[in-house]
Structures are given as C-alpha cells and as structure tokens.
Amino acid sequence: MNESKTPSQMKNESISNGKASYFLQRPLVVFFGAMIACALWGSAFPAVKIGMKMFEIESINTGDQLLFAGLRFVLAGFLVIAIGSLLEKQVLLPKKGQGKIILAQSFFQTVGQYSFYYIGIAHASGSSTAVVNSASKFLAILFAAYLFRLEKMNLRKILGCLLGFSGIIIQNITGLMGGVHMTLLGEGLILLSATISSMASSTSKIFTRKINPVTLSGYQFMVGGALLSAIGFLAGGTIKAKTITNSSLILFVYLALISTIAYTIWTILLKYNEVSHVSIYGFMNPVFGVLFSAIFLKEYKDLGFNYLVALIIISVAIILINKPEKNR
C-alpha cells in the first residue's frame, strides 16, 4: 500500500477531507454525535452492573473486573477494525511508525483509565465517584489549553466547565449530604483515572493528525484490552464457564459495541473540533447513566427534582461553550 499518488488523486483526497472537515464541524453534527456517544456510555452503567451479575463477578474482585473489561475492549477493537475495513473496502492496518502512537493512546484511553477506575470504584461511594470522575471533562479542557496548547482558554469555557461540574454535584447532592470520605484507594485512584482520561482527549486529537481515527480507535482498544486482560489474569481474575450463556454473551457483545461506536464517534469528533466543544458533552454521561439505571435497574431514587435541575444546568454549560463567537 505504498503506491505513490498522482496529483489528481491527492487533489481529490484533499477536497474529500475538506468536505468531511466542514460536515463534522457543524454544530448539529457535533451535538448529535456527542449525544449518541454519551447516551451509549450512560447505558454502560446499568449494562455493566447487569453483566457483572450475569458473569457472577463481585464488586470487590478487581481481577475478575479487569479481565472482564479487557476482553470487552479486545472485542470492541476487533469490531471497530472489522466495520472500518468494510466501509473503507480494505483492511485497516497501522502503517510504519504508528505502533508507538497506538501503544501510547491505549495507555491513556484504556489501560490507565480503566485499571485505576475499577480499583477505585470498589473503595468509593457511587455519588463521590460520579462527582470526582466528572472532573475529567473539566481537566480535558484545561489540558487542551494549557498543557498541549491545542486551543485558547476563555471566560466562556471556564464558566461552562464550572456549570457542568455544578450540575453533577447537584445531581448527586443526596448521596453527598451523607458525607464524603476521601480515600487514596477510592476517590484518589478515580481522580487519577479521570486525569489520564482527560489527557486522552488531547492525545487523540494530536495523534489523529498522523493516523486514521478509526484505525487508532480500533487498535488502541485491542492493545489496551489485551494488557488489561493480562493484568486481570495475573491478579487472579477468571470467567466462570457456567456463566457463559446466550444472554450473557449478547450483553457482552452489546458492551463491546458501546465502546466500538461511542469511542469511534468521539475520536472522529475530536479530530475535527476543539477539545472543549466536544468534551463538555461528557457531563451528560452520568445524566444518561441515572436515566438508564432508572429504566433498567429500577433505581428511581436518583431520578428526582435535582436530576432535572442538573440536566438544565449542564445544557446551559454545553450551549455556553459551543456558542459561536461574533467574529466567525
């Protein structure tokens, strides 16, 4: 696949890329794409709980959880590459020198994020987890502006982040009123997970300048999933044979598809838009999580007036950050 391209082919490719860039930067496209991704991630909250029960994985057994998550991401990566290859009508393979990029992104987006998250969630309350983990959306915008210099920070972005973070606090106010007991193995590791996750948004935008976003998404899942599986296995993780049924396999495939679709959409949107314009939608993840938990797990206690207030505040934050500037 190293054939040299003619000037005509290069011109057509440039025009095609220009059209894709214009389309994927349109506010409605970003809105619907990001909301689909967030809705899928929100559905993962109850789906993982149901999956853990089906596979008889206890919340305190980190080895089983990491092995389960790792296998899920390996399948997700395979599905991304398979679907992408069908659409491109050729097998998507990393080019020379892209292996390091894939390995680096797999650390930020899969290995570092989820290994620390699964260990931390076993030692923290649900409310504090949602609040601390939502910090990744705030950090993603800060890192993009100050660490990676990908965009400029302004008052609207700061206010948008503060509003989004406030919405998550209001949504979880009932649980937080019972007292938050910060621990290093609990909230400390979740904050570390959130920090690594927030950096993944910027590294993804940087790396997709040199590699196809679908190729990056798929192979980083495979590599990250394999490493997570190995860590889980070495920690004593197992999948009980008796728990492998048609129902549990269907749910497992759905969990893989969540990552396949959501992360691929997110990666593509980050390639063509400012990190802040995409990451701010991430505050909708726990909002969708509560909604789907109420529907599928019958957990209606969190679906109160504070949920509606949180939804309004987060919506205002999204509008504030994505509002077009006057000089555009």
Side-chain angles (χ1 to χ4, degrees):
M1 289 306 199
N2 293 321
E3 297 177 6
S4 58
K5 297 179 181 179
T6 65
S8 178
Q9 288 176 320
M10 293 177 67
K11 182 179 179 181
N12 290 335
E13 186 176 295
S14 177
I15 292 172
S16 177
N17 288 335
K19 289 181 178 178
S21 176
Y22 174 75
F23 176 75
L24 290 165
Q25 287 176 347
R26 297 179 67 176
L28 276 179
V29 173
V30 177
F31 170 78
F32 283 112
M35 291 298 277
I36 289 171
C38 291
L40 285 168
W41 279 321
S43 73
F45 288 112
V48 167
K49 281 190 176 183
I50 295 170
M52 295 290 188
K53 187 177 293 185
M54 282 185 169
F55 285 95
E56 297 181 8
I57 298 174
E58 298 180 7
S59 60
I60 58 173
N61 195 329
T62 305
D64 286 0
Q65 290 177 341
L66 292 179
L67 178 60
F68 179 77
L71 293 174
R72 167 193 168 190
F73 291 130
V74 169
L75 178 57
F78 173 79
L79 290 173
V80 170
I81 297 303
I83 295 171
S85 297
L86 286 174
L87 293 175
E88 293 285 338
K89 297 180 180 179
Q90 63 177 349
V91 179
L92 294 179
L93 294 171
K95 296 178 181 178
K96 185 178 180 180
Q98 292 180 343
K100 293 179 181 179
I101 293 175
I102 291 168
L103 184 62
Q105 186 64 16
S106 71
F107 169 76
F108 288 110
Q109 193 162 309
T110 303
V111 181
Q113 178 183 352
Y114 286 102
S115 58
F116 291 126
Y117 180 80
Y118 275 110
I119 297 171
I121 202 170
H123 300 85
S125 69
S127 297
S128 60
T129 297
V131 172
V132 175
N133 196 47
S134 68
S136 64
K137 285 64 184 181
F138 199 166
L139 291 172
I141 296 174
L142 291 177
F143 285 150
Y146 297 115
L147 182 61
F148 295 98
R149 305 288 183 180
L150 294 174
E151 59 184 83
K152 293 182 179 180
M153 181 60 74
N154 57 39
L155 184 59
R156 283 195 298 111
K157 292 177 182 179
I158 294 173
L159 289 176
C161 288
L162 291 174
L163 280 173
F165 192 62
S166 299
I168 301 302
I169 292 176
I170 290 172
Q171 180 184 313
N172 293 275
I173 194 68
T174 305
L176 295 175
M177 285 177 68
V180 178
H181 306 286
M182 303 289 286
T183 64
L184 183 61
L185 281 177
E187 288 79 4
L189 288 184
I190 290 172
L191 181 59
L192 181 57
S193 167
T195 303
I196 293 173
S197 171
S198 63
M199 294 180 73
S201 295
S202 292
T203 57
S204 175
K205 186 171 182 66
I206 293 170
F207 292 154
T208 49
R209 295 171 182 169
K210 300 180 179 179
I211 184 173
N212 180 299
V214 177
T215 303
L216 176 62
S217 183
Y219 283 104
Q220 75 83 20
F221 269 139
M222 284 190 191
V223 173
L227 291 173
L228 272 180
S229 299
I231 294 170
F233 180 75
L234 292 173
T238 58
I239 299 293
K240 301 179 182 67
K242 66 177 182 177
T243 63
I244 302 176
T245 64
N246 289 336
S247 297
S248 63
L249 285 176
I250 289 171
L251 183 65
F252 184 76
V253 172
Y254 174 72
L255 283 169
L257 283 171
I258 288 174
S259 300
T260 299
I261 299 169
Y263 272 111
T264 301
I265 290 174
W266 203 257
T267 302
I268 292 172
L269 289 177
L270 283 170
K271 176 179 174 64
Y272 294 102
N273 296 275
E274 289 189 355
V275 173
S276 58
H277 289 190
V278 179
S279 292
I280 190 65
Y281 285 96
F283 284 112
M284 290 296 297
N285 290 354
V287 175
F288 278 117
V290 169
L291 178 61
F292 287 124
S293 293
I295 295 172
F296 296 108
L297 301 177
K298 311 300 180 185
E299 295 180 355
Y300 299 109
K301 64 182 186 300
D302 295 325
L303 203 60
F305 180 70
N306 59 316
Y307 176 86
L308 178 60
V309 174
L311 179 59
I312 293 171
I313 291 175
I314 293 171
S315 298
V316 172
I318 291 171
I319 293 170
L320 186 63
I321 283 188
N322 285 280
K323 181 181 178 182
E325 295 181 18
K326 293 179 180 180
N327 60 348
R328 288 185 177 179

